[in-house]
Amino acid sequence: MIRRFLFVPILLGSFAVVALLVALGPEPEARKFEPVLTEVQVQSVHLDRHRVAVTVDGTARPARRTAVAAQVAGEIVWAAGALRTGTVVAPDSPLFRVRQTRYSQAVAEARSRLAEAELRLLREQAARELAQAEWERIGAEPNLLALGVPQLAAAEEGAAAARAGLETAEADLRNTEVRAPHAGLVASRSAEVGEWITPGQRLLELLSLEVFEVRVSLPDAALPLLDLPFRESGARPPPARVTATLGPPNAEVRWTWEGRLVRMEGEIDPATRFLPAVIEVPRPYQTTPDGRPPLVAGMFLQVEIEGKEFAEVATVPVSAFRADGTVLVVDGEDRIRIRQVDALWPAGEEALLVRSGLVNGERLVVSPPSMVAEGMRVRVVRSPKAADPSGGAAPGRP
Protein backbone atom coordinates (compact mmCIF):
# COMPACT_ATOMS: atom_id res chain seq x y z
CA MET A 1 0.00 0.00 0.00
CA ILE A 2 2.87 2.41 0.90
CA ARG A 3 4.56 1.63 -2.51
CA ARG A 4 1.34 2.56 -4.38
CA PHE A 5 1.29 5.98 -2.73
CA LEU A 6 5.00 6.59 -3.46
CA PHE A 7 4.57 6.02 -7.30
CA VAL A 8 2.53 9.22 -7.85
CA PRO A 9 5.06 11.63 -6.21
CA ILE A 10 7.93 10.01 -8.13
CA LEU A 11 6.09 10.43 -11.49
CA LEU A 12 5.27 14.06 -10.77
CA GLY A 13 8.87 14.73 -9.77
CA SER A 14 10.12 13.27 -13.05
CA PHE A 15 7.87 15.57 -15.07
CA ALA A 16 9.07 18.53 -13.07
CA VAL A 17 12.75 17.70 -13.73
CA VAL A 18 12.12 17.35 -17.50
CA ALA A 19 10.22 20.66 -17.58
CA LEU A 20 13.07 22.36 -15.72
CA LEU A 21 15.70 21.01 -18.13
CA VAL A 22 13.68 22.18 -21.15
CA ALA A 23 13.16 25.60 -19.68
CA LEU A 24 16.82 26.07 -18.80
CA GLY A 25 18.17 24.53 -22.08
CA PRO A 26 19.16 26.51 -25.31
CA GLU A 27 16.41 27.41 -27.77
CA PRO A 28 16.43 25.40 -31.10
CA GLU A 29 17.70 27.24 -34.19
CA ALA A 30 15.05 28.20 -36.82
CA ARG A 31 15.87 26.75 -40.31
CA LYS A 32 14.59 28.08 -43.64
CA PHE A 33 13.78 25.36 -46.17
CA GLU A 34 13.96 26.35 -49.89
CA PRO A 35 11.91 24.42 -52.47
CA VAL A 36 13.81 22.13 -54.85
CA LEU A 37 13.72 23.64 -58.39
CA THR A 38 13.57 21.58 -61.57
CA GLU A 39 16.80 21.80 -63.55
CA VAL A 40 16.52 22.54 -67.30
CA GLN A 41 19.13 22.89 -70.04
CA VAL A 42 18.78 25.88 -72.35
CA GLN A 43 20.41 27.37 -75.42
CA SER A 44 20.04 30.81 -76.97
CA VAL A 45 17.70 31.28 -79.91
CA HIS A 46 19.45 32.66 -82.99
CA LEU A 47 17.32 34.03 -85.85
CA ASP A 48 19.02 34.24 -89.23
CA ARG A 49 18.41 33.89 -92.97
CA HIS A 50 18.29 30.27 -94.06
CA ARG A 51 17.93 28.60 -97.46
CA VAL A 52 15.88 25.47 -97.24
CA ALA A 53 17.03 22.26 -98.91
CA VAL A 54 14.74 19.32 -99.60
CA THR A 55 16.41 15.91 -99.52
CA VAL A 56 14.75 12.93 -101.18
CA ASP A 57 15.78 9.61 -102.69
CA GLY A 58 15.64 8.63 -106.34
CA THR A 59 16.91 6.31 -109.06
CA ALA A 60 18.96 7.22 -112.13
CA ARG A 61 17.67 6.53 -115.62
CA PRO A 62 18.67 7.75 -119.09
CA ALA A 63 16.71 10.68 -120.49
CA ARG A 64 16.36 8.87 -123.82
CA ARG A 65 15.93 5.18 -124.55
CA THR A 66 16.00 4.76 -128.31
CA ALA A 67 14.82 1.60 -130.02
CA VAL A 68 16.87 1.35 -133.23
CA ALA A 69 14.70 -0.44 -135.81
CA ALA A 70 15.10 -1.57 -139.41
CA GLN A 71 13.55 0.59 -142.13
CA VAL A 72 13.94 -1.96 -144.94
CA ALA A 73 13.57 -5.71 -145.24
CA GLY A 74 16.41 -8.06 -146.04
CA GLU A 75 19.24 -10.20 -144.75
CA ILE A 76 21.79 -8.73 -142.34
CA VAL A 77 25.20 -9.24 -143.94
CA TRP A 78 27.33 -7.15 -141.56
CA ALA A 79 27.33 -5.88 -137.96
CA ALA A 80 29.81 -3.71 -136.07
CA GLY A 81 32.35 -5.94 -134.36
CA ALA A 82 32.14 -4.28 -130.93
CA LEU A 83 28.35 -4.05 -130.93
CA ARG A 84 27.58 -5.78 -127.64
CA THR A 85 25.52 -4.93 -124.59
CA GLY A 86 27.31 -2.32 -122.50
CA THR A 87 29.46 -0.86 -125.29
CA VAL A 88 29.36 2.82 -126.23
CA VAL A 89 28.69 3.84 -129.84
CA ALA A 90 29.41 7.19 -131.46
CA PRO A 91 26.69 9.23 -133.18
CA ASP A 92 26.03 8.22 -136.81
CA SER A 93 28.36 5.22 -136.53
CA PRO A 94 27.36 2.17 -138.66
CA LEU A 95 25.68 -0.62 -136.70
CA PHE A 96 24.21 -3.10 -139.23
CA ARG A 97 24.17 -3.53 -142.99
CA VAL A 98 21.42 -5.24 -145.02
CA ARG A 99 22.12 -6.91 -148.36
CA GLN A 100 21.88 -4.14 -150.95
CA THR A 101 21.38 -6.05 -154.23
CA ARG A 102 17.63 -5.54 -154.62
CA TYR A 103 17.83 -1.92 -153.49
CA SER A 104 20.65 -1.09 -155.91
CA GLN A 105 18.53 -2.59 -158.67
CA ALA A 106 15.53 -0.53 -157.54
CA VAL A 107 17.63 2.64 -157.76
CA ALA A 108 18.75 1.74 -161.32
CA GLU A 109 15.17 1.08 -162.40
CA ALA A 110 13.99 4.34 -160.84
CA ARG A 111 16.68 6.27 -162.69
CA SER A 112 15.59 4.63 -165.95
CA ARG A 113 11.96 5.59 -165.35
CA LEU A 114 13.00 9.14 -164.53
CA ALA A 115 15.01 9.40 -167.75
CA GLU A 116 12.03 8.20 -169.79
CA ALA A 117 9.70 10.63 -168.01
CA GLU A 118 12.05 13.55 -168.57
CA LEU A 119 12.40 12.60 -172.27
CA ARG A 120 8.61 12.55 -172.61
CA LEU A 121 8.44 15.93 -170.89
CA LEU A 122 10.93 17.40 -173.35
CA ARG A 123 8.93 16.03 -176.27
CA GLU A 124 5.68 17.48 -174.98
CA GLN A 125 7.30 20.86 -174.36
CA ALA A 126 8.63 20.91 -177.94
CA ALA A 127 5.27 19.81 -179.35
CA ARG A 128 3.45 22.56 -177.46
CA GLU A 129 5.84 25.22 -178.66
CA LEU A 130 5.44 23.98 -182.25
CA ALA A 131 1.62 23.90 -182.00
CA GLN A 132 1.55 27.38 -180.50
CA ALA A 133 3.64 28.78 -183.37
CA GLU A 134 1.49 27.04 -186.00
CA TRP A 135 -1.79 28.35 -184.60
CA GLU A 136 -0.37 31.83 -184.35
CA ARG A 137 0.64 31.64 -188.05
CA ILE A 138 -2.88 30.57 -189.03
CA GLY A 139 -4.41 33.24 -186.82
CA ALA A 140 -7.11 30.99 -185.39
CA GLU A 141 -8.04 30.41 -181.76
CA PRO A 142 -7.01 26.80 -180.80
CA ASN A 143 -8.40 24.66 -177.98
CA LEU A 144 -6.23 23.39 -175.11
CA LEU A 145 -5.97 19.88 -176.50
CA ALA A 146 -4.74 21.17 -179.84
CA LEU A 147 -2.07 23.18 -178.03
CA GLY A 148 -0.97 20.11 -176.07
CA VAL A 149 -1.61 21.66 -172.62
CA PRO A 150 -2.99 18.52 -170.92
CA GLN A 151 -0.31 16.35 -172.57
CA LEU A 152 2.41 18.62 -171.16
CA ALA A 153 0.82 18.63 -167.67
CA ALA A 154 0.69 14.81 -167.70
CA ALA A 155 4.34 14.66 -168.74
CA GLU A 156 5.32 17.03 -165.92
CA GLU A 157 3.43 14.96 -163.36
CA GLY A 158 5.04 11.80 -164.68
CA ALA A 159 8.49 13.32 -164.35
CA ALA A 160 7.73 14.47 -160.79
CA ALA A 161 6.51 10.96 -159.85
CA ALA A 162 9.61 9.39 -161.37
CA ARG A 163 11.79 11.83 -159.43
CA ALA A 164 10.01 10.95 -156.17
CA GLY A 165 10.37 7.24 -156.95
CA LEU A 166 14.11 7.69 -157.40
CA GLU A 167 14.37 9.54 -154.07
CA THR A 168 12.50 6.70 -152.33
CA ALA A 169 14.70 4.04 -153.93
CA GLU A 170 17.86 5.95 -152.96
CA ALA A 171 16.57 6.37 -149.39
CA ASP A 172 15.88 2.63 -149.16
CA LEU A 173 19.41 1.97 -150.40
CA ARG A 174 20.85 4.29 -147.74
CA ASN A 175 18.68 2.66 -145.09
CA THR A 176 20.29 -0.70 -145.78
CA GLU A 177 23.02 0.66 -143.51
CA VAL A 178 21.64 1.20 -139.99
CA ARG A 179 23.43 3.99 -138.14
CA ALA A 180 23.36 5.18 -134.54
CA PRO A 181 20.91 8.12 -134.16
CA HIS A 182 22.96 9.50 -131.26
CA ALA A 183 25.82 8.61 -128.96
CA GLY A 184 24.69 5.98 -126.53
CA LEU A 185 25.23 2.85 -124.50
CA VAL A 186 23.96 -0.40 -125.98
CA ALA A 187 21.33 -1.67 -123.56
CA SER A 188 20.26 -4.70 -125.60
CA ARG A 189 20.83 -6.28 -129.03
CA SER A 190 18.26 -8.44 -130.78
CA ALA A 191 19.66 -9.07 -134.29
CA GLU A 192 22.64 -11.00 -135.66
CA VAL A 193 24.35 -11.46 -139.02
CA GLY A 194 22.44 -13.84 -141.27
CA GLU A 195 19.01 -13.03 -139.86
CA TRP A 196 16.19 -11.76 -142.08
CA ILE A 197 14.65 -8.55 -140.78
CA THR A 198 11.50 -6.63 -141.66
CA PRO A 199 10.72 -2.90 -141.54
CA GLY A 200 10.04 -1.77 -137.97
CA GLN A 201 11.82 -4.75 -136.37
CA ARG A 202 13.87 -3.72 -133.32
CA LEU A 203 17.59 -4.35 -133.72
CA LEU A 204 18.97 -2.85 -130.51
CA GLU A 205 18.26 -0.31 -127.78
CA LEU A 206 20.48 2.70 -127.05
CA LEU A 207 20.65 4.63 -123.78
CA SER A 208 21.51 8.31 -124.17
CA LEU A 209 24.73 9.47 -122.52
CA GLU A 210 24.20 13.23 -122.83
CA VAL A 211 21.64 13.58 -120.01
CA PHE A 212 20.44 11.30 -117.23
CA GLU A 213 17.27 11.76 -115.23
CA VAL A 214 16.67 11.07 -111.55
CA ARG A 215 13.01 10.52 -110.74
CA VAL A 216 12.10 11.48 -107.17
CA SER A 217 8.91 11.81 -105.12
CA LEU A 218 8.39 15.14 -103.37
CA PRO A 219 6.10 15.37 -100.33
CA ASP A 220 3.32 17.89 -100.73
CA ALA A 221 4.66 19.77 -97.69
CA ALA A 222 7.84 20.57 -99.66
CA LEU A 223 6.07 22.23 -102.60
CA PRO A 224 5.79 25.73 -100.99
CA LEU A 225 9.52 25.60 -100.24
CA LEU A 226 10.68 25.14 -103.86
CA ASP A 227 10.70 27.28 -106.99
CA LEU A 228 8.79 24.74 -109.04
CA PRO A 229 9.74 24.51 -112.73
CA PHE A 230 6.43 25.41 -114.32
CA ARG A 231 6.69 27.08 -117.73
CA GLU A 232 4.31 29.92 -116.94
CA SER A 233 6.37 31.00 -113.94
CA GLY A 234 9.50 31.64 -116.04
CA ALA A 235 11.68 30.85 -113.01
CA ARG A 236 15.05 29.22 -113.44
CA PRO A 237 14.94 25.53 -112.47
CA PRO A 238 16.33 25.12 -108.93
CA PRO A 239 19.73 23.41 -108.68
CA ALA A 240 20.02 19.96 -107.17
CA ARG A 241 22.93 17.87 -105.94
CA VAL A 242 22.83 14.16 -106.69
CA THR A 243 24.85 11.89 -104.40
CA ALA A 244 25.68 8.19 -104.62
CA THR A 245 27.27 6.31 -101.73
CA LEU A 246 29.45 3.53 -103.09
CA GLY A 247 31.98 1.10 -101.67
CA PRO A 248 32.19 -1.68 -99.08
CA PRO A 249 30.70 -1.28 -95.58
CA ASN A 250 32.67 1.06 -93.31
CA ALA A 251 34.59 2.37 -96.33
CA GLU A 252 31.88 4.07 -98.39
CA VAL A 253 32.72 7.01 -100.62
CA ARG A 254 30.20 9.71 -101.55
CA TRP A 255 30.21 10.88 -105.18
CA THR A 256 28.22 13.89 -106.35
CA TRP A 257 26.83 15.27 -109.62
CA GLU A 258 25.21 18.65 -110.24
CA GLY A 259 21.74 18.79 -111.76
CA ARG A 260 18.47 20.74 -111.84
CA LEU A 261 14.82 20.14 -111.05
CA VAL A 262 13.38 20.48 -114.57
CA ARG A 263 9.79 19.25 -114.40
CA MET A 264 7.01 17.71 -112.38
CA GLU A 265 5.28 14.53 -113.55
CA GLY A 266 1.71 13.42 -113.05
CA GLU A 267 -0.23 14.48 -109.99
CA ILE A 268 -0.06 14.07 -106.22
CA ASP A 269 -0.75 10.51 -105.15
CA PRO A 270 -3.79 10.73 -102.83
CA ALA A 271 -2.56 7.76 -100.81
CA THR A 272 1.02 8.91 -100.15
CA ARG A 273 0.69 12.70 -100.75
CA PHE A 274 3.84 12.59 -102.90
CA LEU A 275 4.36 14.23 -106.30
CA PRO A 276 6.78 12.74 -108.86
CA ALA A 277 9.48 15.11 -110.13
CA VAL A 278 12.49 14.80 -112.45
CA ILE A 279 16.07 15.95 -111.90
CA GLU A 280 18.27 16.29 -115.00
CA VAL A 281 21.99 15.54 -114.66
CA PRO A 282 24.12 16.47 -117.71
CA ARG A 283 27.19 14.48 -118.77
CA PRO A 284 26.66 11.55 -116.37
CA TYR A 285 29.60 9.62 -117.85
CA GLN A 286 32.08 12.51 -117.72
CA THR A 287 35.29 11.61 -115.91
CA THR A 288 36.75 13.82 -113.18
CA PRO A 289 40.29 14.08 -111.73
CA ASP A 290 39.13 12.44 -108.49
CA GLY A 291 38.12 9.27 -110.34
CA ARG A 292 34.37 9.67 -110.02
CA PRO A 293 32.54 6.66 -111.53
CA PRO A 294 29.81 7.11 -114.16
CA LEU A 295 26.21 7.67 -113.14
CA VAL A 296 24.85 4.26 -114.10
CA ALA A 297 21.19 3.66 -114.91
CA GLY A 298 19.38 2.13 -111.95
CA MET A 299 21.81 3.58 -109.37
CA PHE A 300 20.15 4.49 -106.04
CA LEU A 301 20.77 8.17 -105.24
CA GLN A 302 20.13 10.85 -102.66
CA VAL A 303 19.04 14.20 -104.10
CA GLU A 304 19.32 17.54 -102.32
CA ILE A 305 17.17 20.21 -104.03
CA GLU A 306 17.86 23.85 -103.25
CA GLY A 307 14.75 25.62 -101.96
CA LYS A 308 13.71 29.16 -101.13
CA GLU A 309 15.50 31.44 -98.69
CA PHE A 310 13.62 32.49 -95.55
CA ALA A 311 14.43 35.34 -93.16
CA GLU A 312 14.25 35.25 -89.36
CA VAL A 313 14.44 31.47 -89.06
CA ALA A 314 15.63 29.57 -85.96
CA THR A 315 17.21 26.13 -85.83
CA VAL A 316 15.54 24.18 -83.01
CA PRO A 317 16.64 20.73 -81.79
CA VAL A 318 14.05 18.01 -82.16
CA SER A 319 14.47 17.26 -78.47
CA ALA A 320 13.08 20.72 -77.62
CA PHE A 321 9.63 19.87 -78.97
CA ARG A 322 6.98 18.51 -76.65
CA ALA A 323 4.37 15.94 -77.66
CA ASP A 324 1.84 18.66 -78.57
CA GLY A 325 4.35 20.50 -80.79
CA THR A 326 5.04 23.34 -78.35
CA VAL A 327 8.41 24.38 -76.92
CA LEU A 328 9.46 25.90 -73.61
CA VAL A 329 11.42 29.10 -73.05
CA VAL A 330 12.76 30.59 -69.82
CA ASP A 331 12.10 34.28 -69.14
CA GLY A 332 14.27 36.75 -67.22
CA GLU A 333 12.90 35.54 -63.87
CA ASP A 334 13.78 31.92 -64.63
CA ARG A 335 10.17 31.01 -65.15
CA ILE A 336 8.81 28.65 -67.80
CA ARG A 337 6.83 30.05 -70.73
CA ILE A 338 5.05 27.73 -73.18
CA ARG A 339 5.29 28.74 -76.84
CA GLN A 340 3.41 27.71 -79.97
CA VAL A 341 5.85 27.69 -82.92
CA ASP A 342 5.62 27.18 -86.68
CA ALA A 343 8.04 24.44 -87.69
CA LEU A 344 9.08 24.91 -91.32
CA TRP A 345 11.30 21.99 -92.39
CA PRO A 346 14.00 19.61 -91.06
CA ALA A 347 17.52 21.01 -90.73
CA GLY A 348 19.66 17.93 -90.30
CA GLU A 349 18.57 14.75 -88.59
CA GLU A 350 18.26 16.35 -85.14
CA ALA A 351 16.82 19.82 -85.74
CA LEU A 352 13.90 21.65 -87.34
CA LEU A 353 13.65 25.12 -88.84
CA VAL A 354 11.16 27.38 -87.04
CA ARG A 355 9.98 30.59 -88.71
CA SER A 356 7.69 32.05 -86.04
CA GLY A 357 7.01 31.86 -82.29
CA LEU A 358 10.54 32.54 -81.01
CA VAL A 359 12.45 35.74 -80.27
CA ASN A 360 16.12 36.25 -81.02
CA GLY A 361 18.31 35.75 -77.93
CA GLU A 362 15.76 34.17 -75.62
CA ARG A 363 16.53 30.95 -73.77
CA LEU A 364 15.07 27.77 -75.27
CA VAL A 365 14.68 24.60 -73.17
CA VAL A 366 16.33 21.80 -75.17
CA SER A 367 15.10 18.93 -72.96
CA PRO A 368 11.65 19.77 -71.57
CA PRO A 369 10.78 18.09 -68.23
CA SER A 370 7.82 15.73 -68.20
CA MET A 371 5.87 17.79 -65.63
CA VAL A 372 5.76 21.51 -66.28
CA ALA A 373 3.36 24.43 -65.85
CA GLU A 374 3.20 27.98 -67.16
CA GLY A 375 5.16 30.32 -64.91
CA MET A 376 6.93 27.53 -62.98
CA ARG A 377 10.36 28.54 -61.66
CA VAL A 378 13.30 26.40 -62.76
CA ARG A 379 17.05 26.23 -62.33
CA VAL A 380 18.78 27.04 -65.63
CA VAL A 381 21.79 25.10 -66.91
CA ARG A 382 23.45 26.01 -70.20
CA SER A 383 23.26 23.16 -72.71
CA PRO A 384 26.71 21.70 -73.49
CA LYS A 385 25.57 21.00 -77.08
CA ALA A 386 24.21 24.16 -78.66
CA ALA A 387 22.68 23.97 -82.13
CA ASP A 388 24.58 25.45 -85.06
CA PRO A 389 22.88 28.83 -85.52
CA SER A 390 23.36 28.62 -89.27
CA GLY A 391 21.68 25.27 -89.51
CA GLY A 392 24.82 24.01 -91.15
CA ALA A 393 23.96 20.35 -91.00
CA ALA A 394 22.82 18.69 -94.18
CA PRO A 395 19.08 19.03 -94.62
CA GLY A 396 17.17 16.10 -93.26
CA ARG A 397 14.88 13.83 -95.21
CA PRO A 398 11.20 14.65 -95.23
Short mmCIF file of all heavy atoms in Angstrom, two decimals, residues 6 20 34 44 48 137 200 234 239-240 253 309 314 325 389:
data_model
loop_
_atom_site.label_atom_id
_atom_site.label_comp_id
_atom_site.label_asym_id
_atom_site.label_seq_id
_atom_site.Cartn_x
_atom_site.Cartn_y
_atom_site.Cartn_z
N LEU A 6 3.72 5.98 -3.08
CA LEU A 6 5.00 6.59 -3.46
C LEU A 6 5.11 6.75 -4.98
O LEU A 6 5.87 7.58 -5.47
CB LEU A 6 6.17 5.74 -2.94
CG LEU A 6 6.37 5.76 -1.43
CD1 LEU A 6 7.50 4.79 -1.06
CD2 LEU A 6 6.71 7.15 -0.94
N LEU A 20 12.01 21.44 -16.10
CA LEU A 20 13.07 22.36 -15.72
C LEU A 20 14.22 22.32 -16.71
O LEU A 20 14.77 23.36 -17.09
CB LEU A 20 13.55 22.01 -14.30
CG LEU A 20 14.64 22.91 -13.73
CD1 LEU A 20 14.15 24.36 -13.61
CD2 LEU A 20 15.09 22.38 -12.35
N GLU A 34 14.27 25.87 -48.54
CA GLU A 34 13.96 26.35 -49.89
C GLU A 34 13.42 25.21 -50.73
O GLU A 34 13.88 24.08 -50.63
CB GLU A 34 15.22 26.92 -50.54
CG GLU A 34 15.77 28.15 -49.84
CD GLU A 34 16.95 28.72 -50.58
OE1 GLU A 34 17.33 28.12 -51.64
OE2 GLU A 34 17.49 29.74 -50.15
N SER A 44 20.56 29.54 -76.45
CA SER A 44 20.04 30.81 -76.97
C SER A 44 19.44 30.62 -78.36
O SER A 44 19.98 29.88 -79.19
CB SER A 44 21.16 31.86 -77.04
OG SER A 44 21.63 32.16 -75.75
N ASP A 48 18.14 33.89 -88.11
CA ASP A 48 19.02 34.24 -89.23
C ASP A 48 18.32 33.85 -90.53
O ASP A 48 17.33 33.13 -90.54
CB ASP A 48 20.36 33.52 -89.09
CG ASP A 48 21.45 34.19 -89.92
OD1 ASP A 48 21.14 35.18 -90.62
OD2 ASP A 48 22.60 33.71 -89.88
N ARG A 137 0.46 31.35 -186.63
CA ARG A 137 0.64 31.64 -188.05
C ARG A 137 -0.70 31.63 -188.77
O ARG A 137 -0.98 32.46 -189.65
CB ARG A 137 1.59 30.61 -188.66
CG ARG A 137 1.95 30.91 -190.11
CD ARG A 137 2.86 29.83 -190.64
NE ARG A 137 2.21 28.54 -190.67
CZ ARG A 137 1.39 28.13 -191.66
NH1 ARG A 137 1.08 28.92 -192.67
NH2 ARG A 137 0.83 26.93 -191.61
N GLY A 200 10.60 -1.97 -139.30
CA GLY A 200 10.04 -1.77 -137.97
C GLY A 200 10.54 -2.74 -136.93
O GLY A 200 10.26 -2.58 -135.73
N GLY A 234 8.29 31.07 -115.47
CA GLY A 234 9.50 31.64 -116.04
C GLY A 234 10.69 31.59 -115.12
O GLY A 234 11.74 32.17 -115.41
N PRO A 239 18.64 24.39 -108.62
CA PRO A 239 19.73 23.41 -108.68
C PRO A 239 19.51 22.27 -107.71
O PRO A 239 18.80 22.41 -106.70
CB PRO A 239 20.97 24.22 -108.31
CG PRO A 239 20.44 25.39 -107.54
CD PRO A 239 19.07 25.68 -108.08
N ALA A 240 20.12 21.15 -108.02
CA ALA A 240 20.02 19.96 -107.17
C ALA A 240 21.35 19.24 -107.17
O ALA A 240 22.05 19.23 -108.20
CB ALA A 240 18.91 19.03 -107.66
N VAL A 253 32.29 5.73 -100.06
CA VAL A 253 32.72 7.01 -100.62
C VAL A 253 31.50 7.67 -101.26
O VAL A 253 30.73 7.02 -101.96
CB VAL A 253 33.84 6.83 -101.68
CG1 VAL A 253 34.24 8.18 -102.26
CG2 VAL A 253 35.03 6.12 -101.06
N GLU A 309 14.81 30.87 -99.85
CA GLU A 309 15.50 31.44 -98.69
C GLU A 309 14.47 32.15 -97.82
O GLU A 309 13.64 32.91 -98.31
CB GLU A 309 16.59 32.41 -99.14
CG GLU A 309 17.44 32.91 -97.99
CD GLU A 309 18.57 33.80 -98.46
OE1 GLU A 309 18.29 34.74 -99.23
OE2 GLU A 309 19.72 33.57 -98.06
N ALA A 314 14.84 30.15 -87.05
CA ALA A 314 15.63 29.57 -85.96
C ALA A 314 15.80 28.08 -86.19
O ALA A 314 14.90 27.41 -86.70
CB ALA A 314 14.97 29.83 -84.62
N GLY A 325 3.73 19.61 -79.82
CA GLY A 325 4.35 20.50 -80.79
C GLY A 325 4.80 21.83 -80.23
O GLY A 325 5.38 22.64 -80.97
N PRO A 389 23.85 27.80 -85.19
CA PRO A 389 22.88 28.83 -85.52
C PRO A 389 22.63 28.97 -87.00
O PRO A 389 21.59 29.45 -87.43
CB PRO A 389 23.51 30.11 -84.96
CG PRO A 389 24.95 29.80 -84.83
CD PRO A 389 25.05 28.36 -84.55
#
